[in-house]
Amino acid sequence: VQLQASGGGLVQPGGSLRLSCAASGFAADSFPIYWFRQAPGKEREGVSCISSSDGSTHYADSVKGRFTIARGNAKNMVYLQMNSLKPEDTAVYYCATDFEAACSSRSLQNYYAIDYWGKGTQVTVSS
């Protein structure tokens, strides 16, 4: 199982970025995909997830209305569109998956239960 996040960078407050997660080594469209983030000195935080069964999504309250998760036309791709970015969104963003935990608000709160992680991509929101 391999996951690779990309698309991070430096953006001004109010700007947008689109993160990509490329999955390989498993049927990515058959399992939920998660986005987590971790800021310096802070615990890893669930951002969003998308299910495999019905495409349902969940978001952390801090990003609702600003971030959108979606699967790509390619079955191994998942994207996180981030709009209206704030300095507090600055973090390393990781995509992840688990073969047992379904996408839910609860699973976003339990990063330690997620089995597979990719390397992160840095997002910095600063003027």
Side-chain angles (χ1 to χ4, degrees):
V1 174
Q2 290 190 329
L3 298 148
Q4 179 63 58
S6 62
L10 173 63
V11 63
Q12 292 186 342
S16 298
L17 280 175
R18 189 178 80 154
L19 304 185
S20 300
C21 176
S24 61
F26 70 107
D29 56 339
S30 296
F31 298 97
I33 301 294
Y34 299 83
W35 284 99
F36 287 82
R37 67 186 180 186
Q38 189 164 18
K42 294 189 176 181
E43 194 172 49
R44 195 163 292 191
E45 173 190 24
V47 175
S48 182
C49 60
I50 186 166
S51 71
S52 60
S53 55
D54 59 3
S56 60
T57 59
H58 291 270
Y59 297 91
D61 287 343
S62 58
V63 306
K64 279 181 182 176
R66 300 188 297 122
F67 291 12
T68 303
I69 190 172
R71 292 186 183 269
N73 290 332
K75 293 183 177 181
N76 69 320
M77 296 300 297
V78 173
Y79 301 98
L80 184 69
Q81 178 67 42
M82 306 187 297
N83 298 329
S84 302
L85 282 161
K86 304 175 181 180
E88 50 263 44
D89 294 318
T90 295
V92 177
Y93 284 70
Y94 302 88
C95 60
T97 192
D98 193 272
F99 294 168
E100 295 184 356
C103 169
S104 67
S105 297
R106 181 175 182 178
S107 62
L108 285 179
Q109 298 173 15
N110 297 331
Y111 71 89
Y112 45 84
I114 303 299
D115 284 340
Y116 301 101
W117 296 83
K119 293 182 180 180
T121 185
Q122 175 72 47
V123 171
T124 302
V125 184
S126 175
S127 55

Short mmCIF file of all heavy atoms in Angstrom, two decimals, residues 36-61:
data_model
loop_
_atom_site.label_atom_id
_atom_site.label_comp_id
_atom_site.label_asym_id
_atom_site.label_seq_id
_atom_site.Cartn_x
_atom_site.Cartn_y
_atom_site.Cartn_z
N PHE A 36 -5.42 14.05 6.70
CA PHE A 36 -5.10 14.54 8.04
C PHE A 36 -4.06 15.65 7.89
O PHE A 36 -3.42 15.78 6.84
CB PHE A 36 -4.51 13.42 8.91
CG PHE A 36 -5.51 12.40 9.35
CD1 PHE A 36 -5.88 11.36 8.51
CD2 PHE A 36 -6.10 12.47 10.60
CE1 PHE A 36 -6.82 10.40 8.91
CE2 PHE A 36 -7.03 11.52 11.02
CZ PHE A 36 -7.39 10.49 10.16
N ARG A 37 -3.87 16.41 8.94
CA ARG A 37 -2.83 17.42 8.93
C ARG A 37 -2.20 17.53 10.32
O ARG A 37 -2.83 17.17 11.31
CB ARG A 37 -3.38 18.79 8.48
CG ARG A 37 -4.36 19.41 9.45
CD ARG A 37 -4.96 20.69 8.85
NE ARG A 37 -5.91 21.34 9.75
CZ ARG A 37 -6.64 22.39 9.41
NH1 ARG A 37 -6.54 22.93 8.20
NH2 ARG A 37 -7.46 22.93 10.30
N GLN A 38 -0.97 18.00 10.32
CA GLN A 38 -0.27 18.18 11.59
C GLN A 38 0.56 19.45 11.54
O GLN A 38 1.45 19.58 10.69
CB GLN A 38 0.61 16.97 11.91
CG GLN A 38 1.18 17.00 13.30
CD GLN A 38 1.73 15.67 13.75
OE1 GLN A 38 1.99 14.78 12.93
NE2 GLN A 38 1.88 15.48 15.05
N ALA A 39 0.24 20.35 12.44
CA ALA A 39 0.99 21.60 12.58
C ALA A 39 2.09 21.40 13.61
O ALA A 39 1.97 20.53 14.49
CB ALA A 39 0.06 22.72 12.98
N PRO A 40 3.14 22.19 13.55
CA PRO A 40 4.24 22.04 14.51
C PRO A 40 3.74 22.14 15.94
O PRO A 40 2.99 23.07 16.29
CB PRO A 40 5.16 23.21 14.15
CG PRO A 40 4.88 23.49 12.73
CD PRO A 40 3.43 23.23 12.54
N GLY A 41 4.12 21.18 16.75
CA GLY A 41 3.76 21.19 18.16
C GLY A 41 2.33 20.79 18.46
O GLY A 41 1.90 20.85 19.62
N LYS A 42 1.61 20.37 17.43
CA LYS A 42 0.21 20.00 17.63
C LYS A 42 -0.02 18.54 17.25
O LYS A 42 0.75 17.96 16.48
CB LYS A 42 -0.71 20.91 16.82
CG LYS A 42 -0.72 22.35 17.29
CD LYS A 42 -1.81 23.15 16.59
CE LYS A 42 -1.89 24.56 17.13
NZ LYS A 42 -2.97 25.35 16.47
N GLU A 43 -1.10 17.99 17.76
CA GLU A 43 -1.46 16.62 17.44
C GLU A 43 -2.01 16.54 16.02
O GLU A 43 -2.56 17.53 15.51
CB GLU A 43 -2.51 16.13 18.44
CG GLU A 43 -2.73 14.64 18.44
CD GLU A 43 -3.64 14.18 19.57
OE1 GLU A 43 -4.71 14.78 19.74
OE2 GLU A 43 -3.27 13.23 20.28
N ARG A 44 -1.86 15.37 15.42
CA ARG A 44 -2.41 15.17 14.09
C ARG A 44 -3.93 15.33 14.13
O ARG A 44 -4.59 14.83 15.05
CB ARG A 44 -2.01 13.79 13.56
CG ARG A 44 -2.23 13.62 12.08
CD ARG A 44 -1.45 12.43 11.54
NE ARG A 44 -0.01 12.68 11.60
CZ ARG A 44 0.90 11.91 11.00
NH1 ARG A 44 0.50 10.84 10.30
NH2 ARG A 44 2.18 12.17 11.10
N GLU A 45 -4.46 15.98 13.12
CA GLU A 45 -5.88 16.35 13.10
C GLU A 45 -6.54 15.84 11.83
O GLU A 45 -6.00 15.99 10.74
CB GLU A 45 -5.99 17.88 13.15
CG GLU A 45 -7.37 18.44 12.97
CD GLU A 45 -7.38 19.94 12.79
OE1 GLU A 45 -6.35 20.50 12.36
OE2 GLU A 45 -8.43 20.56 13.04
N GLY A 46 -7.71 15.23 11.99
CA GLY A 46 -8.46 14.80 10.82
C GLY A 46 -9.06 15.98 10.10
O GLY A 46 -9.63 16.88 10.73
N VAL A 47 -8.94 16.00 8.78
CA VAL A 47 -9.46 17.09 7.96
C VAL A 47 -10.71 16.67 7.20
O VAL A 47 -11.74 17.33 7.27
CB VAL A 47 -8.38 17.57 6.96
CG1 VAL A 47 -8.94 18.63 6.02
CG2 VAL A 47 -7.16 18.09 7.70
N SER A 48 -10.60 15.56 6.50
CA SER A 48 -11.72 15.12 5.67
C SER A 48 -11.52 13.66 5.28
O SER A 48 -10.41 13.13 5.34
CB SER A 48 -11.79 15.97 4.40
OG SER A 48 -12.89 15.60 3.60
N CYS A 49 -12.62 13.02 4.89
CA CYS A 49 -12.52 11.67 4.34
C CYS A 49 -13.65 11.47 3.34
O CYS A 49 -14.66 12.18 3.37
CB CYS A 49 -12.54 10.61 5.42
SG CYS A 49 -14.02 10.57 6.45
N ILE A 50 -13.43 10.49 2.47
CA ILE A 50 -14.44 10.13 1.48
C ILE A 50 -14.59 8.63 1.48
O ILE A 50 -13.60 7.89 1.49
CB ILE A 50 -14.06 10.67 0.08
CG1 ILE A 50 -15.19 10.42 -0.92
CG2 ILE A 50 -12.73 10.10 -0.42
CD1 ILE A 50 -15.04 11.20 -2.22
N SER A 51 -15.82 8.17 1.49
CA SER A 51 -16.07 6.74 1.56
C SER A 51 -15.91 6.10 0.19
O SER A 51 -15.86 6.78 -0.84
CB SER A 51 -17.47 6.48 2.12
OG SER A 51 -18.44 6.84 1.14
N SER A 52 -15.88 4.78 0.20
CA SER A 52 -15.79 4.05 -1.06
C SER A 52 -17.16 3.63 -1.55
O SER A 52 -17.39 3.53 -2.75
CB SER A 52 -14.91 2.81 -0.87
OG SER A 52 -15.47 1.97 0.12
N SER A 53 -18.07 3.39 -0.63
CA SER A 53 -19.35 2.78 -1.00
C SER A 53 -20.28 3.76 -1.71
O SER A 53 -20.75 3.49 -2.82
CB SER A 53 -20.04 2.23 0.25
OG SER A 53 -20.17 3.24 1.22
N ASP A 54 -20.51 4.90 -1.09
CA ASP A 54 -21.49 5.84 -1.66
C ASP A 54 -20.90 7.22 -1.91
O ASP A 54 -21.65 8.14 -2.26
CB ASP A 54 -22.70 5.95 -0.73
CG ASP A 54 -22.33 6.42 0.66
OD1 ASP A 54 -21.15 6.72 0.90
OD2 ASP A 54 -23.24 6.49 1.52
N GLY A 55 -19.60 7.35 -1.71
CA GLY A 55 -18.96 8.64 -1.96
C GLY A 55 -19.28 9.69 -0.92
O GLY A 55 -18.99 10.87 -1.12
N SER A 56 -19.84 9.27 0.21
CA SER A 56 -20.15 10.25 1.25
C SER A 56 -18.86 10.83 1.82
O SER A 56 -17.80 10.18 1.80
CB SER A 56 -20.99 9.61 2.35
OG SER A 56 -20.29 8.54 2.95
N THR A 57 -18.97 12.03 2.32
CA THR A 57 -17.81 12.75 2.82
C THR A 57 -18.05 13.29 4.22
O THR A 57 -19.19 13.49 4.64
CB THR A 57 -17.46 13.92 1.88
OG1 THR A 57 -18.60 14.79 1.81
CG2 THR A 57 -17.10 13.42 0.49
N HIS A 58 -16.95 13.52 4.92
CA HIS A 58 -17.00 14.13 6.24
C HIS A 58 -15.87 15.15 6.33
O HIS A 58 -14.81 14.95 5.72
CB HIS A 58 -16.87 13.08 7.34
CG HIS A 58 -18.05 12.19 7.44
ND1 HIS A 58 -19.15 12.47 8.24
CD2 HIS A 58 -18.35 11.02 6.81
CE1 HIS A 58 -20.05 11.50 8.11
NE2 HIS A 58 -19.59 10.62 7.24
N TYR A 59 -16.13 16.19 7.09
CA TYR A 59 -15.14 17.26 7.24
C TYR A 59 -15.02 17.67 8.71
O TYR A 59 -16.00 17.64 9.46
CB TYR A 59 -15.57 18.50 6.44
CG TYR A 59 -15.64 18.26 4.95
CD1 TYR A 59 -16.82 17.85 4.35
CD2 TYR A 59 -14.51 18.45 4.15
CE1 TYR A 59 -16.88 17.63 2.97
CE2 TYR A 59 -14.56 18.24 2.78
CZ TYR A 59 -15.75 17.82 2.21
OH TYR A 59 -15.81 17.60 0.85
N ALA A 60 -13.83 18.11 9.07
CA ALA A 60 -13.65 18.74 10.37
C ALA A 60 -14.41 20.06 10.35
O ALA A 60 -14.51 20.72 9.31
CB ALA A 60 -12.17 18.97 10.64
N ASP A 61 -14.93 20.44 11.50
CA ASP A 61 -15.69 21.70 11.58
C ASP A 61 -14.84 22.88 11.12
O ASP A 61 -15.37 23.83 10.52
CB ASP A 61 -16.16 21.93 13.02
CG ASP A 61 -17.29 20.99 13.41
OD1 ASP A 61 -17.91 20.39 12.51
OD2 ASP A 61 -17.54 20.87 14.63
#
